[in-house]
Amino acid sequence: MPWLWKLPSRRAFVSPDRPRLPNMASAVMLARCTSVRFPAVATAVLLLLSMTTVQASQGDKEPVYRDCVKQCVGSNCTGARLRGFQSSQPQYMALTGWTCRDDCRYQCMWTTVGLYQAEGYSVPQFHGKWPFVRFLCFEDPASALASLLNGLACLLMLLRYRSRVPRQSPMYHTINAFSLVSLNAWFWSTVFHTRDTYLTEKMDYFCATAVILYSIYLCCVRTLGLKRPGVSSMVGVLLILAFTSHVSYLTFVSFDYGYNMAANTSIGMVNLLWWLCWCWQNRRTLPYWWKCGLVVVLLHGLALLELLDFPPMFWILDAHAVWHLSTVPVHFLFYSFLIDDSLYLLNTEKMGVKVE
């Protein structure tokens, strides 16, 4: 069910509908610039460009931003100044991989944001993300905290599940394995929102996909596999092949954000309909069925928060962080359902009653 608890962190698909800031010669000029004008020809070109959608971010495409980064790196990230930066850099920043170039990009991001706001334009995104105020080494502090809280909630409820459900329950090992896959995904989500790098981004995406695919397997085992183990085994093999193909395509062919999101959402919809059908069929025989149905509805309803996609409030809290924070309580309801259902399956197995 929790296929939407950990959808991959979304890279925005931004239409270039904001005017481009003009090129600047130096970082000093950037800081002092207070007036920007756009010729009619450039405006007409931008209007034509706005008719198409591209995978890019307006902020990091700005000449202002690029020139600022270029000059900052050239002035501060070589020779004695680089050694000075490294010697004064806090240890926690160095351990999390923050470099002189990264610091230049961060500072120039805010310079560009300031120019946009001074001219009355909307806040742009940079490299697929909104600008966030860095806290210690945390690049996106609210989303990192939300991911950590989801992981802690998952861990707490897994421990409660293990304490209340005997190992003899038919779903015990499948649910434990699912919980471990989920914990791994929340761990990498926390790492990714702490420090966005090539490796952490890929691990966040791939581990999220693993959760979504394993949730299909969990659903299959509960609804079909207990009576037909061969079916769940076949589905498991197919899901492993699907995961391998998915990761291979994104790694060796093209890291397509649109394809990745579409694939995960499609699998989530299959899971949604599968669980809802099972809830409807068992609404008269299982008194706790409503917990499963409510979790399904809540997860899909809360996922709509992602569609808001507003600039971060106080430069910390955006729609993605709000969405992750809102899913924390859902873990408790979901595991309450799993505990009830696992105990029910154990009791019916002891009594020799047919499993629903």
Side-chain angles (χ1 to χ4, degrees):
M1 254 173 301
W3 58 94
L4 285 178
W5 292 4
K6 189 63 204 84
L7 280 180
S9 303
R10 182 163 56 91
R11 291 288 191 181
F13 293 81
V14 182
S15 298
D17 53 356
R18 301 184 182 91
R20 302 289 290 277
L21 297 175
N23 198 350
M24 298 291 178
S26 69
V28 175
M29 291 178 66
L30 286 172
R32 293 178 179 175
C33 179
T34 59
S35 178
V36 181
R37 296 293 181 266
F38 304 95
V41 174
T43 303
V45 172
L46 289 169
L47 287 173
L48 291 173
L49 287 174
S50 67
M51 298 178 184
T52 61
T53 301
V54 297
Q55 180 184 326
S57 297
Q58 186 67 23
D60 57 88
K61 294 175 67 177
E62 289 291 352
V64 165
Y65 172 80
R66 294 188 176 189
D67 286 352
C68 177
V69 173
K70 182 178 179 180
Q71 176 151 346
C72 178
V73 170
S75 301
N76 301 300
C77 300
T78 57
R81 289 198 174 186
L82 175 60
R83 290 190 292 272
F85 169 83
Q86 293 171 338
S87 63
S88 62
Q89 185 183 35
Q91 193 65 27
Y92 58 81
M93 295 289 285
L95 289 175
T96 49
W98 284 94
T99 65
C100 181
R101 174 180 288 274
D102 295 328
D103 208 57
C104 283
R105 289 172 60 176
Y106 179 77
Q107 299 299 334
C108 291
M109 175 184 72
W110 289 114
T111 298
T112 308
V113 169
L115 291 174
Y116 263 75
Q117 291 184 311
E119 291 300 316
Y121 299 118
S122 302
V123 175
Q125 294 189 340
F126 295 80
H127 306 286
K129 299 188 299 183
W130 293 110
F132 296 99
V133 170
R134 188 172 62 194
F135 175 70
L136 299 178
C137 60
F138 295 93
E139 192 168 353
D140 183 354
S143 291
L145 176 62
S147 298
L148 178 62
L149 291 176
N150 274 280
L152 291 176
C154 183
L155 177 60
L156 175 63
M157 294 310 296
L158 171 60
L159 296 176
R160 182 176 299 180
Y161 178 88
R162 289 180 172 179
S163 67
R164 295 189 58 183
V165 178
R167 297 174 63 88
Q168 294 76 22
S169 178
M171 289 292 295
Y172 183 89
H173 297 290
T174 303
I175 291 172
N176 269 272
F178 173 78
S179 299
L180 295 177
V181 173
S182 298
L183 284 171
N184 179 63
W186 286 118
F187 168 79
W188 281 107
S189 177
T190 304
V191 172
F192 169 68
H193 289 300
T194 299
R195 187 72 181 95
D196 181 357
T197 67
Y198 178 85
L199 174 62
T200 60
E201 181 189 32
K202 299 302 178 289
M203 292 303 297
D204 177 55
Y205 275 69
F206 297 158
C207 293
T209 300
V211 174
I212 297 169
L213 290 173
Y214 201 98
S215 66
I216 286 280
Y217 180 71
L218 176 69
C219 181
C220 178
V221 172
R222 177 59 185 92
T223 58
L224 298 175
L226 297 179
K227 292 182 286 187
R228 303 178 184 87
V231 173
S232 59
S233 297
M234 290 177 55
V235 171
V237 172
L238 291 175
L239 292 174
I240 292 174
L241 292 175
F243 178 74
T244 304
S245 300
H246 181 76
V247 171
S248 298
Y249 174 79
L250 292 176
T251 302
F252 302 112
V253 180
S254 172
F255 199 88
D256 189 329
Y257 295 103
Y259 154 74
N260 184 73
M261 182 62 70
N264 288 324
T265 303
S266 299
I267 298 169
M269 290 304 298
V270 171
N271 215 349
L272 164 70
L273 297 174
W274 199 337
W275 275 113
L276 286 181
C277 288
W278 180 84
C279 290
W280 180 258
Q281 291 174 350
N282 292 280
R283 67 190 186 281
R284 291 190 175 90
T285 57
L286 302 178
Y288 53 84
W289 70 271
W290 64 270
K291 296 181 181 180
C292 173
L294 183 57
V295 166
V296 169
V297 173
L298 281 175
L299 289 175
H300 281 76
L302 293 173
L304 296 177
L305 290 171
E306 276 281 85
L307 300 179
L308 299 178
D309 198 27
F310 51 82
M313 295 181 292
F314 310 109
W315 305 114
I316 295 176
L317 195 66
D318 71 335
H320 188 76
V322 171
W323 171 44
H324 275 338
L325 287 169
S326 67
T327 61
V328 174
V330 184
H331 289 272
F332 298 93
L333 182 61
F334 174 60
Y335 275 89
S336 175
F337 160 74
L338 292 179
I339 291 171
D340 290 343
D341 193 53
S342 295
L343 294 176
Y344 165 80
L345 292 173
L346 182 62
N347 291 332
T348 54
E349 186 179 68
K350 289 181 179 178
M351 294 185 295
V353 180
K354 182 180 178 181
V355 175
E356 298 295 336

